Amino acid sequence: MVTGASRGIGRSIATRLAADGHRVVLVARTADPLEALKGEIEAAGGSAVVSTCDLADGSAVNELIESVVSDEGRLDILVNNAGITRDGLMLRMSDEDFDVVLNVNLRSIFIACRAAARPMMRGRFGRMINISSVTGLIGNPGQANYAAAKAGIIGMTKTIAKEFASKGVTANVVAPGFIRTEMTEALGAGVLEEAAKRIPLKRLGEGDDIAHAVSFLASEGAGYVTGQVLTVDGGMVC
Ligand code: NAI
């Protein structure tokens, strides 16, 4: 299951996991872009189902996981990718903008991982992969809410890793740097060009760069890797 699969990084992750041979549950708020992606995955010989959910609604997140497990019989890989920004300098950031970002970017992941843990333990196999950000490691002016959520993901995932390791369930974080998606395109071409110059690998990342990291962490071969933060940022933070 991949949240935020309708576009950007989530779309790339879902496409990659489908190419790896997984049946993928595509999650976002609206069905149309997910149906289009399902069509693309099937045309390439893969398998996908669509499930709409507003992750800001905790009970809907619980229901989502329950319905996936009851419809599919199992849930092996949970990729919590969906995320939002409500940027603003600390002194001007409203309580609402703090709360909504924490709710969608952190609380929904807590609820999804908690709900997925039982079925994964029953199957003695699970891969929880949570998408954080380099902002969660080093902070970023204008993103106190986002940085708090993304750093929270890291502490929470390390805890999940310790709690479920003996049950065959791993939990890891991927921390992307500057990735070319609609989220970053909103910053404007000038900002992106300047950002690319400061990245040691001299380019912005692509969704596929993140998808390959997720593909590894989701694989059978990554079974001895848990509680880790895999930074995929072209060398920005090293
Ligand atoms: P995006 O804005 O292009 O896509 C976000 C996805 O999340 C969309 O599919 C959207 O429908 C979904 N989503 C948002 N709120 C939702 C909600 N309440 N319920 C259900 N779905 C919801 O973002 P992008 O760039 O693809 O980012 C994906 C993840 O990677 C996010 O968690 C983001 O914070 C993280 N990230 C992105 C970076 C970048 O440079 N683009 C850098 C570091 C982290």
Side-chain angles (χ1 to χ4, degrees):
M1 181 178 126
V2 181
T3 69
S6 61
R7 63 183 212 184
I9 293 171
R11 194 175 208 284
S12 299
I13 293 170
T15 305
R16 175 79 258 153
L17 292 179
D20 289 346
H22 301 291
R23 178 167 162 82
V24 186
V25 182
L26 309 169
V27 178
R29 276 165 301 185
T30 45
D32 283 358
L34 298 177
E35 291 292 351
L37 177 57
K38 173 175 150 61
E40 278 178 36
I41 287 172
E42 287 174 348
S47 172
V49 284
V50 165
S51 208
T52 56
C53 178
D54 182 354
L55 300 168
D57 176 353
S59 53
V61 177
N62 271 319
E63 282 163 25
L64 168 70
I65 302 280
E66 274 170 27
S67 73
V68 168
V69 173
S70 83
D71 293 351
E72 304 297 326
R74 56 198 280 187
L75 174 59
D76 296 330
I77 301 164
L78 171 64
V79 184
N80 289 302
N81 160 79
I84 58 168
T85 52
R86 292 285 184 279
D87 295 352
L89 291 171
M90 185 79 182
L91 291 178
R92 288 200 289 267
M93 185 175 285
S94 67
D95 294 1
E96 290 72 26
D97 282 348
F98 185 84
D99 289 346
V100 72
V101 168
L102 268 286
N103 202 28
V104 173
N105 292 11
L106 182 61
R107 188 170 181 271
S108 75
I109 298 182
F110 165 70
I111 295 171
C113 289
R114 186 181 57 188
R118 269 186 223 286
M120 285 181 176
M121 284 191 294
R122 265 201 306 275
R124 305 289 302 175
F125 180 91
R127 296 278 187 269
M128 296 184 188
I129 301 160
N130 297 328
I131 307 300
S132 174
S133 165
V134 290
T135 295
L137 294 169
I138 59 171
N140 193 26
Q143 294 199 306
N145 49 1
Y146 186 80
K150 294 301 189 182
I153 288 173
I154 293 171
M156 183 171 69
T157 306
K158 286 174 179 285
T159 302
I160 292 169
K162 290 190 164 113
E163 289 193 12
F164 298 110
S166 64
K167 310 291 183 192
V169 178
T170 66
N172 291 287
V173 170
V174 175
F178 234 115
I179 311 300
R180 194 194 306 276
T181 68
E182 286 177 48
M183 184 186 264
T184 46
E185 265 161 26
L187 298 171
V191 173
L192 298 185
E193 253 174 54
E194 279 311 305
K197 282 184 199 155
R198 289 196 308 271
I199 296 169
L201 280 170
K202 297 295 174 211
R203 67 168 176 91
L204 300 185
E206 302 293 337
D208 269 353
D209 293 314
I210 307 304
H212 278 102
V214 171
S215 168
F216 164 66
L217 292 171
S219 69
E220 293 267 354
Y224 203 56
V225 180
T226 196
Q228 299 305 304
V229 181
L230 180 49
T231 303
V232 183
D233 68 348
M236 272 166 74
V237 180
C238 62

